[in-house]
Structure formats: C-alpha cells, structure tokens
Amino acid sequence: MMSEYLVFDTNDEIWSYMGKRWEEISAKAIAEKRYFSAALSGGKTPAGFYQYLSGRHDLQWEKSHLFLVDERFVPWESPESNYRMLHENLLGRIQIPSENIHPIPTGQSSPDISAKKYEEEMRRFFKLDENSIPNFDLILLGIGEDGHTASLFPGTDALKETKRLVIPVRPGEPLMDRISLTLPVINNAWNVIFLVSGQRKRAVMRKIREGHDQTLPASMVSPERGLLLFLMDREAAG
Ligand code: 6PG
C-alpha cells in the first residue's frame, strides 16, 4: 500500500486537486471496463467538493456509478440524510442517469434490512458471488475528531466485521441508527481518498500520521492493493 499526505492552502485548492484525481481515476476505469464506481461520504467537509464537482460537466457522468459510504437511518428528505446532501450539492445539478445513482435504501423496516438490501444491490451491480468483495474505483472518506470514518466508530464491533459488505451500526453521540460500508470493502478499493479540513481535525490527524494508535478506525483503512491519500488544509495539518 502506498500512502500520501498532501497539504493545501485553501479548500478550493483541495477541490481542484481532488477533481483532477477524480478525472484520472474515472477515465482509466471507463477505458478499462466501461464504467467508473465511487462510494461517497456524507458530513460537512465534502459538501464543498460535491458543489465543485457539479460544475464539471466534462466528467463522464453517464458512465459513472455513485454509491454512498454511509447513511443515517432516516428518510431521504431528512436534513440528516447523506443522500439528501449529495443530491442537493451534486446529483440534482448534473446530467446523470437515475440508474447510476445508488442510495442506501432507508425506507425499510429496520437498519439491518436496509443494510442487507444495499449489500444485495452491490452484489448485483458488481456481479459478485457470496464470498467476493467489490473493488470500488474510488472511495471518498472523512474523519471525525474521535477517529471515526464512514460510520465505523472507535471500540465498536463494526470494526471486526469480515464478511458483510454493509452493516447496521448504532454508535452513541448522537445516538442514531446508521448504515455503513465495512472495512473489507473500503480496503478492497483501488483508491481511497480522505478529505480533511479545519483545526478541529488537527489532533486526530497527528495521531493517524504517527501511526501509534491502530485502534482508530481511520488508521485501519489500508487498501491492500490501492492508493491511500489524505488531502488536508493547513489547519488540519498543523
Ligand atoms: C457521516 C460521514 C462521516 C464523516 C465524518 C467527518 O455520515 O457523517 O460519512 O464519517 O465523514 O464524521 O465529518 P465532517 O466532514 O462533517 O467533519
């Protein structure tokens, strides 16, 4: 695994650098297998990047398939919904076929059923058998101050999952049911890129870079064959 940390002066510089990587990764994937697959995170940090991306009409959206990394178990219309955020900032502003959009189905009777349905959809899309794990071309992640990433929180059983692709989780603070991709899926991607900005992330970024605390979920991200990249602003980098 190759990992790289890059620091930028402004968020706009992060977005345009990330836009270049997106362009390269998607063009390569489309040339090789005729489609590009990405899993996108919620949270505040990437919203600006999604807005930037919505202006990139040159990207091959009709061949791009977008999944979510995690979701709150709320209706898509809810202000807490990651899908809603993604729709407002990106999906509603670009020409992308609706069958290329793969939101987490939260309108189910339980988070477990939602997770199972999403896993089925992923197996269908990537044509996987029972034991295979998808290879996303790109997974975009954020980091919480406690070191969580996706909806994988420190000290939870979710971190021990080895078989399921998608699981229900119920971390504390704020106590809310969520659904998340698992570490085996994240670590099987070709490119994993973290977007990290703001001073509040400085302490956790230092821990991750020092590498002493392997119990931090973000430190467990280590794509076996892929690239691991952290894009940070100066405030987060310190
Ligand atoms: C979510 C995310 C989560 C997020 C981090 C960082 O649904 O909340 O996917 O893992 O990336 O909590 O969030 P901020 O970008 O808002 O700091």
Side-chain angles (χ1 to χ4, degrees):
M1 183 203 59
M2 265 175 19
S3 69
E4 251 184 279
Y5 296 86
L6 299 178
V7 183
F8 298 82
D9 285 328
T10 64
N11 274 334
D12 284 343
E13 286 172 37
I14 301 185
W15 311 154
S16 66
Y17 180 85
M18 183 59 225
K20 268 190 226 123
R21 299 308 290 249
W22 181 293
E23 185 180 336
E24 285 161 16
I25 295 166
S26 63
K28 181 167 180 275
I30 292 166
E32 282 170 9
K33 55 186 162 69
R34 297 199 299 278
Y35 72 89
F36 161 65
S37 59
L40 306 178
S41 281
K44 293 190 192 66
T45 314
F49 174 62
Y50 299 145
Q51 272 176 32
Y52 160 86
L53 259 191
S54 72
R56 293 289 308 265
H57 300 291
D58 59 313
L59 297 172
Q60 301 180 66
W61 295 114
E62 69 292 348
K63 292 185 180 135
S64 304
H65 280 263
L66 306 179
F67 289 77
L68 272 93
V69 164
D70 68 336
E71 183 59 284
R72 292 88 191 255
F73 187 63
V74 296
W76 290 340
E77 309 77 64
S78 162
E80 307 274 15
S81 162
N82 282 343
Y83 176 64
R84 177 182 168 154
M85 184 279 279
L86 193 61
H87 193 271
E88 284 176 355
N89 291 293
L90 175 64
L91 304 174
R93 303 173 178 211
I94 53 173
Q95 297 289 335
I96 184 167
S98 57
E99 62 272 22
N100 292 18
I101 301 175
H102 306 267
I104 298 180
T106 53
Q108 304 295 323
S109 52
S110 73
D112 189 47
I113 295 176
S114 275
K116 287 195 170 120
K117 293 236 180 235
Y118 205 44
E119 177 159 332
E120 275 166 30
E121 178 171 348
M122 236 177 248
R123 290 196 188 283
R124 216 173 15 246
F125 177 80
F126 288 99
K127 302 189 174 65
L128 302 176
D129 62 37
E130 288 266 302
N131 302 310
S132 307
I133 298 171
N135 286 113
F136 275 99
D137 295 308
L138 172 64
I139 297 190
L140 211 58
L141 296 174
I143 295 180
E145 285 161 68
D146 59 355
H148 81 257
T149 190
S151 283
L152 304 172
F153 286 78
T156 58
D157 285 344
L159 300 168
K160 298 183 198 142
E161 183 60 48
T162 57
K163 290 204 173 62
R164 292 180 71 174
L165 308 180
V166 188
I167 49 170
V169 294
R170 194 174 159 76
E173 291 309 312
L175 193 59
M176 188 189 275
D177 284 307
R178 297 170 178 238
I179 293 130
S180 184
L181 299 195
T182 57
L183 283 171
V185 176
I186 296 173
N187 287 333
N188 211 37
W190 293 115
N191 299 277
V192 177
I193 304 185
F194 281 91
L195 298 180
V196 195
S197 84
Q199 205 188 335
R200 291 186 302 115
K201 307 288 170 76
R202 193 180 285 180
V204 72
M205 272 317 301
R206 193 173 47 233
K207 283 193 202 155
I208 291 167
R209 293 173 86 165
E210 286 168 356
H212 300 321
D213 187 354
Q214 289 305 316
T215 66
L216 288 177
S219 296
M220 297 181 186
V221 172
S222 136
E224 277 156 49
R225 287 164 292 180
L227 168 86
L228 176 62
L229 190 60
F230 290 84
L231 306 183
M232 299 174 280
D233 65 2
R234 296 217 174 271
E235 294 189 335

